Amino acid sequence: MKYAFAKRVRHLQSSAVRDILKVVGRGDIISFAGGLPDDELFPFKGIEEAFSRVFAAGKGSALQYAETEGYRPLRESILERMEVKKGIKNYSNDEILITTGSQQAIDLFSRIMLGPGDVILTEDPTYLAALQVFHSYEANVVAVDSDDDGMLPEDLELKMKQLKPKAVYVVPTFSNPAGRVWSLERRKELVGLAHKYNVVIFEDDPYGELQFLKDETYVPLAALDDGSHVLYTSTFSKIAVPALRTGWIMGPYQIIRMMSQAKQANDLHTNSLSQQALYQLCTNFDLDGHIEHLSKVYKERMEVMVKCLTHSNLSGMSFVKPKGGMFLWIELSERLNTTILLNEAVKNGVAYVPGEPFYAGIAKKNTMRLNFTHSSPETIQKGIQSLVTVLSKNVDEQEHFFV
Amino acid sequence: MKYAFAKRVRHLQSSAVRDILKVVGRGDIISFAGGLPDDELFPFKGIEEAFSRVFAAGKGSALQYAETEGYRPLRESILERMEVKKGIKNYSNDEILITTGSQQAIDLFSRIMLGPGDVILTEDPTYLAALQVFHSYEANVVAVDSDDDGMLPEDLELKMKQLKPKAVYVVPTFSNPAGRVWSLERRKELVGLAHKYNVVIFEDDPYGELQFLKDETYVPLAALDDGSHVLYTSTFSKIAVPALRTGWIMGPYQIIRMMSQAKQANDLHTNSLSQQALYQLCTNFDLDGHIEHLSKVYKERMEVMVKCLTHSNLSGMSFVKPKGGMFLWIELSERLNTTILLNEAVKNGVAYVPGEPFYAGIAKKNTMRLNFTHSSPETIQKGIQSLVTVLSKNVDEQEHFFV
């Protein structure tokens, strides 16, 4: 039988990252592809104890249907943490929604905000699974010119004025894929322009706490706003564990309420046993100490990767050394197409994500994203060696060809 | 600021059930409103042990990101269970998707299948949160004439022929809200017509295992089909616990694959720690024995409710005694409007769900849904007494008025 799918599925494709993960996960390949934290660093005992505490209370009601908005003590705990850690203090208990991971926050926001043809502005490159969601609601995704400090205000204002976007989607701190950090000035300019042109900002901050330079401060857009124009989402996936699929979104009451109604239609509520366990984790476990340890280990791995790449002297390569997060973004000789080269790399025992699917606008096909959090320093050395072998060979061939 | 929501949110409203639950949950009111299982009957120890087993294996990878399609051993376990218990044997491991509750299965199916104006046929009355989802994708929901045995084949065929629906949504066994069971003949006729007119059937079966008459057999539509036209969804919420938000959907590969891609955009994957625990529950716990016990207790409660209602001799009341599930559906004197009466009932200490929001077509406003699984027999007696007091008073007043 031929099934008559809705028009919007034209935009639904399995993401490149996950398709690669599937193949790579099976073999003996070093993968810098997935956006995975290291499961050997998970707070396994902490999570186990957190669940034990919930079960020890012995209440059947802990396993009953629950409020769509989320487990109230967890919401309060997150609000407090966000105020202390991030300086976000505009939101009350009614202005936070617990979501099934921050992916669902992106999806619910798009569902209530983006109709066919509606414009949403993004960085370029940006998180590919967000692009996938925007496209699935048939939105018109437009990239704003950016440099290493964030979106360029001139282009941003021009596009706000001309295209009347519904929203701007940004990952301003340790972005995926580029690993970049917006300057404070650019953050302020974005919030200012959002107010001037009445545009909602969707701030996606899954990596913000994985910070490598202790003395630097990265103020979230939500802390620069008055509570009217910024939605802020983050998740336990990177600072605790991904398996529990628990994230949150904070923002203006009207939007959070509408998202909560969309969530009710979508999955009723987020797994509430996990929410109760995460509340226990926040309360009885040294989450800050854990994050500090995580950041230290991830920084060491990043340094190893940077060192290996620098020593390789690969012709035409450039990158910005990450100040946090999970990714290193590389630009190569313009003669290389990383999408085409992926197959050869995988055959040579190493995987990455080609840059192409991260672009909303014209893709730079000579880019790639490397994850440094899921491999040991030894594996990183070995993997980068394999990768450089493939790249060097191809650069040389191309140069030979072009001579 | 005025936020420019997408057109589709016009159809998103907080469901009546959940709004009532919120108010009722706070007070000292006997609630027959929520579709809640009894949390004192939850397999609390079984769930606790299931989680312990997962933690005892001590693998960090248990807490890592996981496959969108679901935890493979759980999928296999469900497939096997569905074959043994339900006679469903058309589907392979690639034709089942683990969802964040069966609500998500309804939502993902609608997302990939229903565009603005697309027709979906339903029973009348039917599950209100399904109606909410269909409307949120701007579908045209059309009710098919039904009696106590299911949809009337003549009206069904007429509407299939004339309206070219994308799908038919049905809850053929112990339906929500009507608590009805389709006859085998009607089931066969529906599957036959679906083949004739190339329409997909979405079979929602959350209550099928809560069966009160042991010697009867209710064959799922999925077991009457050849694997090409029926999607079958069910959940652990009613047979185990709702907090874990874990359900499943089985169906033709192309549809399951497309839903899986939509799920990836929606929430990446279902909580995988819970999936692993539920696999342990299926493997190491007497789930069938538990369901048998549940059904026995729920049947007793249903009998108490039926007895109280029968003894009340309320003028103009009728209902069909449920053969399973969680709900009793009552039709009252045509002079009563249960939506209007709800306030008075709540003031008198008892809550129910008015029938109106369950209708896709013209609502019978003299109907209500009563849940009998979440209250003890004593509470049921007390609650029905309060309810009957309110209803009798209003019937009498109306009769007096009409004399």
Side-chain angles (χ1 to χ4, degrees), chain A residues 98 135 149 177 184 222 290 296 300 326 328 332 334 338 392:
Chain A
I98 305 293
H135 285 135
D149 291 328
L184 181 60
H290 171 69
K296 193 174 145 276
E300 285 163 11
M326 299 172 58
L328 188 79
L332 298 162
E334 283 188 17
T338 56
S392 305

Side-chain angles (χ1 to χ4, degrees), chain B residues 240-259:
Chain B
V241 294
L244 304 185
R245 311 299 311 118
T246 306
W248 62 90
I249 182 158
M250 301 151 72
Y253 175 73
Q254 285 176 64
I255 298 180
I256 294 297
R257 185 170 156 71
M258 195 64 85
M259 285 180 67

Side-chain angles (χ1 to χ4, degrees), chain B residues 92-372:
Chain B
S92 74
N93 215 313
D94 289 332
E95 294 168 318
I96 176 169
L97 172 68
I98 305 293
T99 55
T100 307
S102 59
Q103 183 69 34
Q104 193 193 36
I106 298 170
D107 190 51
L108 293 176
F109 172 74
S110 306
R111 181 170 179 165
I112 65 156
M113 200 57 84
L114 302 177
D118 282 346
V119 172
I120 180 161
L121 303 179
T122 68
E123 297 163 274
D124 218 17
T126 192
Y127 176 45
L128 66 82
L131 289 177
Q132 191 186 12
V133 170
F134 304 148
H135 285 135
S136 84
Y137 291 104
E138 303 176 75
N140 180 11
V141 184
V142 178
V144 176
D145 295 343
S146 310
D147 63 17
D148 290 345
D149 290 329
M151 286 177 177
L152 300 178
E154 303 71 31
D155 192 51
L156 181 61
E157 178 154 21
L158 188 74
K159 283 173 175 154
M160 280 191 174
K161 204 185 283 181
Q162 289 185 341
L163 303 175
K164 306 204 185 315
K166 283 281 191 81
V168 185
Y169 170 81
V170 285
V171 188
T173 309
F174 319 137
S175 72
N176 177 3
R180 284 171 188 155
V181 182
W182 284 44
S183 69
L184 181 60
E185 201 189 335
R186 290 283 177 82
R187 289 171 194 246
K188 285 180 179 166
E189 282 170 318
L190 171 56
V191 173
L193 288 170
H195 278 257
K196 186 170 173 189
Y197 293 98
N198 258 326
V199 179
V200 175
I201 298 171
F202 190 100
E203 179 176 26
D204 189 6
D205 189 29
Y207 314 107
E209 298 215 46
L210 302 175
Q211 182 173 337
F212 302 156
L213 305 174
K214 283 193 182 170
D215 50 343
E216 291 206 2
T217 308
Y218 313 112
V219 186
L221 303 169
L224 296 171
D225 180 49
D226 61 1
S228 63
H229 284 68
V230 178
L231 284 140
Y232 175 93
T233 184
S234 191
T235 172
F236 285 105
S237 296
K238 311 304 194 283
I239 57 171
V241 294
L244 304 185
R245 311 299 311 118
T246 306
W248 62 90
I249 182 158
M250 301 151 72
Y253 175 73
Q254 285 176 64
I255 298 180
I256 294 297
R257 185 170 156 71
M258 195 64 85
M259 285 180 67
S260 166
Q261 286 170 196
K263 181 170 171 66
Q264 194 178 296
N266 185 200
D267 67 2
L268 299 183
H269 64 79
T270 297
N271 189 310
S272 56
L273 179 62
S274 291
Q275 289 187 65
Q276 291 166 75
L278 284 166
Y279 169 68
Q280 292 299 334
L281 191 84
C282 290
T283 315
N284 295 299
F285 172 82
D286 181 13
L287 190 55
D288 291 334
H290 171 70
I291 293 169
E292 204 170 310
H293 175 64
L294 263 189
S295 303
K296 194 175 143 275
V297 176
Y298 288 166
K299 178 172 189 277
E300 285 162 12
R301 294 180 183 184
M302 179 275 291
E303 298 278 11
V304 170
M305 188 175 271
V306 163
K307 202 173 154 192
C308 293
L309 285 166
T310 309
H311 283 192
S312 76
N313 282 318
L314 191 67
S315 156
M317 178 182 63
S318 68
F319 58 83
V320 175
K321 187 173 163 178
K323 293 176 173 177
M326 298 172 59
F327 304 111
L328 188 79
W329 178 250
I330 299 184
E331 207 166 318
L332 298 162
S333 156
E334 283 188 17
R335 294 166 187 170
L336 295 182
N337 180 322
T338 57
T339 306
I340 291 172
L341 284 177
L342 181 61
N343 238 329
E344 193 178 333
V346 169
K347 274 184 199 152
N348 213 37
V350 62
Y352 57 83
V353 189
E356 198 172 352
F358 294 98
Y359 284 91
I362 295 158
K364 287 189 182 176
K365 295 183 181 177
N366 55 330
T367 55
M368 65 168 67
R369 189 191 79 175
L370 298 176
N371 165 275
F372 50 76

Side-chain angles (χ1 to χ4, degrees), chain A residues 3 6 8 65 111 228 238, chain B residues 8 65 111-112 228 238:
Chain A
Y3 303 101
R8 70 178 77 82
Y65 281 109
R111 181 169 180 165
S228 63
K238 311 305 193 282
Chain B
R8 70 178 76 83
Y65 282 108
R111 181 170 179 165
I112 65 156
S228 63
K238 311 304 194 283

